[in-house]
Amino acid sequence: MVDLVVAVLVTGLEVVGLALFWFRESMKVWAAQGSPVPGGTRRIVVVLGVGSALSGLAAVGFFDVDLRAAAVSQVLVASVLGPILVLGLVTEAGRWISRSRRKRSAER
């Protein structure tokens, strides 16, 4: 029973933390009236990268102390945050490539 309570509590705290972060970043964009906010992509990459790494480390720790449900929940959180991070990085790389191509074609 303690295992399930820890799993729900830790996963819930992570979800609330991510939701608050996303809300904060959305408010920054809203305050800037839709224009890009400096450093926004960097902050999201750091939060998702650190979040998935810490979830993986927490899973190992929970597994070591025999809290299997909590370990599985943390593995699932890490396996969700990892692909979101990769998709965000690929999207940002695509934008960067297209901007650099447009700049080179405009210079010619």
Side-chain angles (χ1 to χ4, degrees):
M1 186 68 181
V2 171
D3 192 16
L4 292 175
V5 171
V6 170
V8 169
L9 184 66
V10 171
T11 305
L13 287 173
E14 287 176 335
V15 168
V16 168
L18 284 172
L20 288 174
F21 172 76
W22 237 273
F23 177 74
R24 184 176 147 241
E25 290 298 313
S26 299
M27 292 303 290
K28 286 180 181 179
V29 171
W30 176 76
Q33 298 178 348
S35 60
V37 177
T41 303
R42 191 174 333 132
R43 284 189 298 275
I44 289 173
V45 166
V46 167
V47 166
L48 291 176
V50 169
S52 64
L54 289 179
S55 293
L57 288 174
V60 170
F62 288 144
F63 188 76
D64 284 346
V65 295
D66 206 31
L67 295 173
R68 303 219 188 276
V72 169
S73 73
Q74 291 303 295
V75 167
L76 292 175
V77 168
S79 67
V80 167
L81 292 179
I84 292 172
L85 174 63
V86 170
L87 285 173
L89 289 173
V90 167
T91 301
E92 200 58 36
R95 287 180 186 161
W96 181 78
I97 290 169
S98 93
R99 276 193 304 258
S100 64
R101 284 184 180 171
R102 272 188 267 149
K103 282 182 182 177
R104 274 189 273 154
S105 67
E107 291 173 355
R108 291 181 191 181

